[in-house]
Amino acid sequence: MDYQSILEKIYREILPFAGQGEQAGYIPALQRVNPDQYGMCLQTVDGCSFSCMKADTRFSIQSIAKVFALAMGLSLRGEGLWTRVGKEPSGTAFNSLVQLEIEKGIPRNPFINAGAIVVADVLMSELKNPEEEFLSFVRALCGDDSINYNLEVANSEREVGYLNAAIANLLKYHGTIKNEIEPLLMFYFKMCSVEMSCKELARAFLPFTNRKRFAYAGYTLSISQIKRLNAVMQTCGFYDEAGEFSYLVGLPGKSGVGGGIVAIYPMRYSVAVWSPRLNSKGNSVMGMKALELLTTYTEESIF
Ligand code: GLN
């Protein structure tokens, strides 16, 4: 498959969408990012890498970090993880409060904010140094020790993080989280603030793609656990647009409000795309389009 030509053809074809949408305005530090950027990188399980445009530019991975946190949580707690968080699509926005109240403080899944805050709570309870451990895990997945938190982004989100604070308070009221709200929120915001490029993200997701032994920085997952992680990405990775992404792209994936999207084609490749302008659901406009064209032109998807 000539992935290089396909990535270039995709870029040419999505250019008409380049001005659509806005970058995440509710996090002041992200609003300062130049919205008119685009990068894509596809890496195959047999070691080939294909890039287009700004595939080496680092950006805020935001909710893509929730996949790494879930992998650590599954490794530490196994199926026990699911007593405090569900695995059903929410059909609601990533930061919605309504469902959480009706369902008595048990978040629908680990990829909406409420669920990811619960997973962060589990990591805080299990680990002596959760912030260092999280970074070590991501660095090991990607094989790059320069990956780091962006404290300006994390602090900026904390300053205006009223909605996430409300979610954390509701979780605390229902006893779903055990740690203190303030340090827990800061840990969650730091995870979201990690910066990676498309190339680094594609590399970091290869271990969820290739069904080889999974052991990184002391965290292990079985093939069956990796299957489950991918299943949750497929059903819940795009909040109230999970059905749309499944329909258009046909791969498990995860988005973030930094404009990044990662998707994997099991046993074949992982792919990351980034462009900061988002649609109304908080997913990258050009990113969604690029992945739709990728599986259309290659005629490869899990369906
Ligand atoms: N840090 C963001 C938030 O909590 C992550 C949301 C996202 O990327 N969808 O709002």
Side-chain angles (χ1 to χ4, degrees):
M1 184 74 67
D2 185 0
Y3 289 118
Q4 189 60 44
S5 310
I6 292 174
L7 295 199
E8 283 157 21
K9 178 171 147 128
I10 289 171
Y11 177 62
R12 286 193 299 275
E13 291 197 16
I14 61 173
L15 271 175
F17 298 89
Q20 279 187 21
E22 303 290 336
Q23 73 266 55
Y26 73 98
I27 303 176
L30 291 188
Q31 201 160 24
R32 293 194 280 275
V33 173
N34 171 8
D36 298 313
Q37 303 188 79
Y38 172 86
M40 191 169 188
C41 178
L42 183 150
Q43 298 195 18
T44 62
V45 294
D46 50 16
C48 298
S49 178
F50 307 90
S51 295
C52 181
M53 300 299 287
K54 296 191 171 177
D56 288 304
T57 304
R58 283 184 173 167
F59 57 89
S60 200
I61 67 170
Q62 291 298 318
S63 281
I64 297 171
K66 294 169 182 172
V67 180
F68 301 136
L70 177 61
M72 290 173 77
L74 276 177
S75 174
L76 289 165
R77 286 271 176 97
E79 288 298 293
L81 186 73
W82 303 113
T83 54
R84 286 201 266 149
V85 59
K87 42 181 140 53
E88 292 296 338
S90 67
T92 57
F94 62 84
N95 52 9
S96 171
L97 265 177
V98 178
Q99 197 170 55
L100 190 63
E101 183 177 20
I102 294 169
E103 299 184 355
K104 306 217 166 1
I106 303 294
R108 273 287 173 98
N109 68 67
F111 292 156
I112 52 172
N113 291 7
I117 292 170
V118 171
V119 175
D121 183 67
V122 168
L123 300 184
M124 272 187 93
S125 300
E126 291 274 345
L127 304 169
K128 233 191 219 134
N129 297 307
E131 291 180 8
E132 282 105 286
E133 290 269 330
F134 181 78
L135 217 43
S136 307
F137 179 60
V138 178
R139 286 173 172 174
L141 278 175
C142 178
D144 189 326
D145 280 348
S146 71
I147 288 167
N148 221 327
Y149 299 119
N150 180 330
L151 295 184
E152 191 199 333
V153 172
N155 290 329
S156 161
E157 186 168 10
R158 180 62 200 105
E159 270 165 35
V160 294
Y162 306 113
L163 198 45
N164 282 314
I167 289 171
N169 276 278
L170 198 49
L171 291 168
K172 189 78 179 169
Y173 170 79
H174 284 287
T176 320
I177 54 175
K178 312 295 175 202
N179 293 277
E180 289 307 316
I181 289 173
E182 197 48 49
L184 174 59
L185 276 177
M186 211 50 227
F187 176 43
Y188 167 74
F189 292 137
K190 277 192 180 169
M191 290 196 290
C192 294
S193 81
V194 164
E195 292 188 324
M196 294 169 80
S197 65
C198 287
K199 214 173 257 180
E200 289 163 343
L201 270 174
R203 201 179 319 135
F205 272 69
L206 272 180
F208 303 118
T209 312
N210 59 17
R211 299 215 179 114
K212 288 194 182 133
R213 194 181 119 76
F214 187 105
Y216 294 86
Y219 296 89
T220 56
L221 290 176
S222 65
I223 300 289
S224 163
Q225 285 175 311
I226 289 173
K227 171 193 75 182
R228 291 177 174 166
L229 189 106
N230 280 316
V232 182
M233 276 200 270
Q234 184 75 42
T235 51
C236 310
F238 297 79
Y239 328 111
D240 41 348
E241 207 168 37
E244 186 74 0
F245 187 82
S246 230
Y247 178 78
L248 295 175
V249 181
L251 296 175
K254 185 74 203 81
S255 61
V257 293
I261 302 180
V262 187
I264 72 165
Y265 182 26
M267 302 300 287
R268 193 70 62 91
Y269 65 71
S270 59
V271 59
V273 58
W274 165 64
S275 189
R277 289 185 188 271
L278 310 176
N279 63 19
S280 61
K281 313 282 188 184
N283 299 317
S284 171
V285 174
M286 285 179 94
M288 294 272 291
K289 199 75 205 159
L291 293 174
E292 178 190 352
L293 292 182
L294 176 68
T295 52
T296 304
Y297 291 147
T298 57
E299 298 183 337
E300 293 177 329
S301 96
I302 65 166
F303 299 109

